[in-house]
Amino acid sequence: MPENRTRRLTHGAMMVAIFTVLLAVSTYIPLTSILITWALPLPIAWYSAKYNMSSSVAVTIAGIMLSFIVGGGFLALPVAFMYAVIGLVLGTMLRLKKNKATIFLATSGAILATFAIVYFAFVKILNINIIQQTLDLSMQSFDTSRKMMEASNVPADQLASFEKQLELMEKTATYLVPSLLVFAVLGIAFIILAVNLPLLKRLKLEVPKFKPFRYMQLPRSILWYYFIVLIISLFVRPEEGTYLYVAILNLSSILTMLLALQGLSLIHFFILEKGMPKGVVVIATIIALPFLQFVSLIGLVDLGFNVRGFITGETKK
């Protein structure tokens, strides 16, 4: 028992030290932050995967407090808080031997929850609205584009058309903040797992295997959600600016992006099932990116009619 406790304390002190050093390096050496930031959850995740919840929470709190002292004060505190909690959640999911979908959702939830806490802390304590400042920067770029068009002496009708497009883009950017936040959270969760899970596996931890992207399959209930949103947008037509309008716009964007991923995975599946070179997959993905609306229709058809089964049957013949 004393030996186990000593090992637990020693490992905890080592992981707190590594977490603090990684955070300090990413804070004081900006060029390294792009790479090191994604590995910040690793020490806490490793410890949380090996030891019980109470010990893991204690190490997480110690990592945050020491990072505040050593890693740059209030500047490092939000980053330390977010990544330490993400590491705690990721490691706990591995210790409980949860499947890959649960790990992904739990990591995404941790990112969203910690971001919300940091966001409200910035607003209430420092009077800094991160989201509003990001929108303001976008609006400034729109204003710059508008001034450049005005200075280029374009015809009045073209300028009026451009003004309408910019106004529509400004409104859409404001309305789509929730869905953009969802996409950002899911993207960050994917990158964190893609970086940390292979490293944790090298550290002798058991991690679940994620199937290749070409086997991605959304639940068929997505079809019903898509059709409900489509019916509301076509027949109810909520007034612009209302809560229903914003909700439908964001749901439509999220569902379209999910179906686009489904369609893109089908393209990957078809190319690799036919034995084409992997380079074709890269080229097809690059070509598909500007046509995500069309790719989402491919995903819709695949989800509704199991196109993969047809491709597999045809290949076997």
Side-chain angles (χ1 to χ4, degrees):
M1 183 69 70
E3 183 182 353
N4 291 338
R5 184 177 180 183
T6 301
R7 185 186 299 113
R8 186 170 68 245
L9 292 173
T10 303
H11 285 169
M14 288 174 57
M15 294 305 107
V16 169
I18 293 172
F19 178 77
T20 305
V21 169
L22 289 175
L23 183 67
V25 170
S26 65
T27 301
Y28 294 118
I29 309 176
L31 292 177
T32 65
S33 62
I34 299 174
L35 297 175
I36 292 179
T37 299
W38 300 113
L40 273 176
L42 183 66
I44 307 296
W46 180 86
Y47 187 87
S48 302
K50 291 182 69 69
Y51 297 103
N52 59 36
M53 179 60 75
S54 59
S55 299
S56 301
V57 171
V59 166
T60 301
I61 295 173
I64 296 171
M65 293 177 63
L66 190 60
S67 298
F68 172 72
I69 298 171
V70 178
F74 285 106
L75 181 65
L77 185 59
V79 178
F81 169 69
M82 291 181 67
Y83 283 96
V85 173
I86 292 168
L88 172 65
V89 171
L90 174 56
T92 301
M93 292 297 105
L94 292 175
R95 179 167 52 82
L96 297 176
K97 301 187 182 302
K98 298 296 183 180
N99 58 42
K100 55 186 181 296
T102 303
I103 293 174
F104 181 76
L105 291 176
T107 304
S108 301
I111 295 169
L112 185 59
T114 52
F115 174 79
I117 293 171
V118 170
Y119 171 74
F120 284 114
F122 268 70
V123 172
K124 296 297 182 181
I125 300 174
L126 302 177
N127 199 26
I128 298 175
N129 191 325
I130 305 171
I131 295 178
Q132 188 58 52
Q133 287 185 353
T134 304
L135 286 174
D136 290 341
L137 288 174
S138 300
M139 299 309 167
Q140 288 176 13
S141 66
F142 290 146
D143 289 336
T144 303
S145 301
R146 186 181 289 108
K147 290 175 182 178
M148 290 176 63
M149 285 292 291
E150 291 174 352
S152 60
N153 297 321
V154 297
D157 57 338
Q158 293 184 16
L159 183 59
S161 176
F162 183 72
E163 288 275 354
K164 289 181 179 179
Q165 290 180 3
L166 278 182
E167 185 179 351
L168 179 61
M169 289 172 66
E170 290 174 357
K171 289 182 179 180
T172 303
T174 303
Y175 294 147
L176 286 178
V177 167
S179 58
L180 291 175
L181 182 59
V182 170
F183 293 144
V185 166
L186 296 178
I188 292 171
F190 177 80
I191 296 173
I192 286 175
L193 293 179
V195 170
N196 287 274
L197 288 182
L199 294 175
L200 290 168
K201 186 176 181 180
R202 285 181 172 272
L203 294 172
K204 310 300 182 183
L205 288 180
E206 185 179 346
V207 300
K209 293 182 179 180
F210 285 76
K211 290 182 179 180
F213 175 67
R214 65 181 181 273
Y215 294 119
M216 190 196 86
Q217 190 73 25
L218 295 172
R220 299 195 71 182
S221 57
I222 294 291
L223 286 173
W224 293 105
Y225 301 145
Y226 180 81
F227 287 128
I228 290 171
V229 170
L230 184 64
I231 290 170
I232 293 175
S233 60
L234 289 176
F235 296 102
V236 178
R237 294 184 180 180
E239 185 179 350
E240 183 178 337
T242 61
Y243 287 115
L244 182 59
Y245 176 86
V246 174
I248 292 300
L249 183 62
N250 281 277
L251 285 172
S252 177
S253 300
I254 292 172
L255 291 171
T256 299
M257 183 58 68
L258 289 175
L259 289 172
L261 289 174
Q262 177 80 24
L264 195 59
S265 72
L266 175 63
I267 293 173
H268 285 209
F269 182 86
F270 175 80
I271 292 172
L272 295 173
E273 190 71 19
K274 294 298 182 180
M276 300 181 192
K278 291 185 177 180
V280 179
V281 174
V282 178
I283 296 172
T285 302
I286 295 173
I287 294 174
L289 289 178
F291 305 101
L292 287 182
Q293 287 287 346
F294 177 72
V295 177
S296 67
L297 291 178
I298 296 176
L300 186 68
V301 173
D302 179 39
L303 205 56
F305 297 99
N306 188 23
V307 177
R308 295 162 199 256
F310 174 76
I311 294 172
T312 305
E314 188 180 70
T315 304
K316 289 179 179 178
K317 291 178 182 179

